[in-house]
Amino acid sequence: MRKNSWLQKLLYGVMAVLGAYIMYKSGALLAAHNQMQKTAETGSVQQSVEDSAMRTWSLGYTATVEGKGIGSWLAAWFRQVVPVLSYVAEKDGEMCETEALSGGSEEWTAEKESAGTEEGIKEPGAGEKIVEQDEPGTSEETVGQDEPETGGKTVEQHEQETETETTAGSGTVQEVSVGTVFSQALPLLTDFSYLLSNYYTVDEDTAADAELINAEKLLSIDLSIEQDSSVPQILIYHTHSQEAFADSVEGEVSDTVVGMGDVLADELRSYGYNVIHDTGVYDLVNGVLDRSAAYDYAREAVEAILEEYPTIEVIIDLHRDGVEGDEEDFVTEIDGETTSKIMFFNGLSRNENGEAFTWLPNGCLTENLAFSLQLQVLANAEYPGFTRKIYLQAERYNLHLRARSLLIEAGTQLNTVEEEKNAMAPIANLLRQILN
């Protein structure tokens, strides 16, 4: 090692100052986002910044003491600075849209993108058999997930104490305000054991605790949107487009879950919503059914749609479940019509020990859980027996793309096409009430 000249010492000093400044600015940018703070708790962000800074320091030092020209040193230094800055910039663009609770303004929270893929994810209806458990048997309902309130209105603040009447979709519906329904259900739902056993089915590969599934917190989250029919606000798509029903005619798209998406879209449009129905096929590869990478293909398509239509605030992945049992276990009667039961589904991005999957982060998990729980509680009050228990699985299922992302298992392979169609109007009515 040669003796450092005064110029080399000066460059080394400048490098050290700039390195410290970059670390400071990177930390400030990362700390500006709530979800990045959560990610930082895992150590991944801190480690990335520290590693990049160390590589910056070491290569810059080596270039200096070996007497290389300033051009070579700057090139080597900036090649190592880029990982720090690009990491911050990239994460700043990978965000989950979250509605601020005040006046419909938008708060953006950053989310670390998945380092892997969702290939091989277990999915009800894709070979996984889920046996229906006991129904709640009561009119109480719940909502699920943890979401800090950041000011603004809550459900209670816009609660109406009088009954309201609406005439849309499938006819006149008498309904009690959502806030009243939640208030009546909440006393029982604050008991976590009761909540979990009566409202949820937890897959053995994941875990849920009282902090994650906090009914009071989840029911207080305002998921309403400022309705604007001039722009797309709701997206319906199907990760598994080939799912059909007991009496479906082969090759008839209207008899598949995609056809049910058409019916649901029309029901929502009758309430004044601007709905996009994506009929893309993501579970066929070269004409052969292949669900191993369907969520990856679907995610790419949905991200492109969201980029084209950034006004979309609600995403619904509509499925048909695959079960064991008898048809009568999966039907109910609504307004005199035999109707298939439905099931709301959440991916928790965590294992059986409750540990988060850092490679499948979901910055929208709280709102996702709130969405399904609020719909479940409201359904139990208005359509008793219509919904099965909310199913909690380990992975993410693309529910990280928007705060109001919903995966619905509408009926089963045992239900008829007509029973499925009859379920779409109640679903639309429930969505209307939560979103309004």
Side-chain angles (χ1 to χ4, degrees):
M1 182 182 295
R2 299 183 310 190
K3 184 177 180 181
N4 292 343
S5 67
W6 66 269
L7 179 58
Q8 291 171 333
K9 292 180 179 179
L10 176 62
L11 290 177
Y12 177 69
V14 171
M15 178 190 66
V17 172
L18 289 177
Y21 177 73
I22 288 174
M23 291 183 66
Y24 167 76
K25 291 298 292 184
S26 299
L29 287 171
L30 293 171
H33 300 292
N34 293 334
Q35 295 305 322
M36 292 305 290
Q37 291 175 354
K38 292 181 181 180
T39 306
E41 293 176 0
T42 68
S44 57
V45 173
Q46 180 180 354
Q47 180 178 351
S48 176
V49 174
E50 289 178 350
D51 288 350
S52 295
M54 182 58 69
R55 290 195 303 270
T56 300
W57 181 88
S58 60
L59 276 194
Y61 176 81
T62 300
T64 302
V65 297
E66 290 182 356
K68 294 182 178 180
I70 188 169
S72 299
W73 173 76
L74 287 174
W77 190 74
F78 275 105
R79 279 197 299 270
Q80 298 306 312
V81 172
V82 166
V84 180
L85 298 182
S86 62
Y87 182 90
V88 176
E90 181 181 354
K91 294 306 126 186
D92 193 44
E94 294 170 358
M95 300 173 179
C96 169
E97 180 183 357
T98 311
E99 283 296 319
L101 298 182
S102 57
S105 61
E106 294 182 348
E107 173 188 351
W108 294 87
T109 54
E111 175 197 350
K112 181 180 177 183
E113 185 60 14
S114 167
T117 68
E118 298 190 45
E119 296 186 11
I121 289 176
K122 289 199 293 184
E123 162 62 18
E128 271 297 306
K129 298 296 184 182
I130 295 179
V131 181
E132 174 60 6
Q133 301 187 13
D134 295 337
E135 290 298 312
T138 65
S139 61
E140 281 74 18
E141 301 104 343
T142 39
V143 178
Q145 229 240 5
D146 51 88
E147 157 61 16
E149 289 189 39
T150 57
K153 64 180 180 179
T154 64
V155 170
E156 287 73 15
Q157 287 174 314
H158 63 67
E159 173 181 342
Q160 301 172 356
E161 297 299 336
T162 59
E163 291 188 353
T164 60
E165 180 178 288
T166 181
T167 55
S170 59
T172 301
V173 178
Q174 293 287 341
E175 60 192 37
V176 179
S177 71
V178 173
T180 299
V181 172
F182 290 175
S183 296
Q184 292 172 347
L186 194 56
L188 279 175
L189 302 184
T190 53
D191 181 340
F192 178 68
S193 296
Y194 175 88
L195 173 64
L196 201 63
S197 62
N198 287 277
Y199 287 88
Y200 292 93
T201 298
V202 183
D203 190 87
E204 62 182 6
D205 291 334
T206 192
D209 54 34
E211 181 179 0
L212 184 68
I213 310 296
N214 182 316
E216 184 174 7
K217 180 183 292 185
L218 294 174
L219 291 176
S220 70
I221 296 174
D222 181 7
L223 294 172
S224 63
I225 64 176
E226 189 172 339
Q227 191 170 351
D228 183 359
S229 60
S230 67
V231 294
Q233 289 186 294
I234 299 177
L235 169 65
I236 300 173
Y237 76 104
H238 313 274
T239 300
H240 296 154
S241 63
Q242 304 306 299
E243 292 172 335
F245 307 101
D247 59 347
S248 295
V249 177
E250 186 174 355
E252 185 63 49
V253 176
S254 62
D255 284 357
T256 68
V257 71
V258 175
M260 300 309 107
D262 284 334
V263 178
L264 179 58
D266 288 341
E267 290 286 346
L268 289 169
R269 288 171 186 138
S270 73
Y271 290 119
Y273 292 105
N274 188 327
V275 182
I276 290 180
H277 181 205
D278 172 37
T279 59
V281 176
Y282 308 113
D283 53 351
L284 281 180
V285 179
N286 297 323
V288 178
L289 185 65
D290 183 356
R291 290 173 173 162
S292 62
Y295 280 92
D296 292 317
Y297 298 141
R299 181 177 65 251
E300 294 173 0
V302 171
E303 287 174 339
I305 294 173
L306 295 179
E307 184 175 356
E308 183 176 0
Y309 302 105
T311 55
I312 291 175
E313 300 178 79
V314 181
I315 302 178
I316 301 170
D317 186 5
L318 188 63
H319 290 247
R320 179 233 68 196
D321 202 2
V323 299
E324 295 176 349
D326 300 320
E327 180 187 2
E328 54 265 27
D329 296 330
F330 302 98
V331 295
T332 187
E333 186 173 297
I334 297 178
D335 295 334
E337 297 182 324
T338 303
T339 305
S340 64
K341 294 183 179 181
I342 69 169
M343 181 176 71
F344 301 119
F345 185 100
N346 285 107
L348 301 183
S349 294
R350 57 184 64 200
N351 63 21
E352 67 275 12
N353 298 319
E355 300 166 337
F357 293 149
T358 57
W359 63 92
L360 285 178
N362 183 358
C364 301
L365 181 58
T366 296
E367 294 90 341
N368 296 163
L369 288 170
F371 203 13
S372 61
L373 182 56
Q374 291 186 20
L375 287 164
Q376 182 85 356
V377 171
L378 185 61
N380 285 351
E382 295 206 0
Y383 306 111
F386 178 48
T387 56
R388 297 154 60 194
K389 295 179 183 179
I390 300 171
Y391 200 89
L392 302 180
Q393 244 283 11
E395 285 81 14
R396 185 174 61 181
Y397 301 98
N398 292 334
L399 296 173
H400 65 298
L401 298 174
R402 281 291 186 269
R404 299 172 189 79
S405 290
L406 189 66
L407 195 159
I408 305 177
E409 296 282 2
T412 73
Q413 84 280 9
L414 303 174
N415 292 113
T416 66
V417 171
E418 188 63 28
E419 290 167 352
E420 289 297 313
K421 289 182 178 179
N422 292 341
M424 296 303 108
I427 292 175
N429 184 42
L430 294 170
L431 286 166
R432 174 192 62 80
Q433 293 183 68
I434 297 300
L435 297 177
N436 283 351

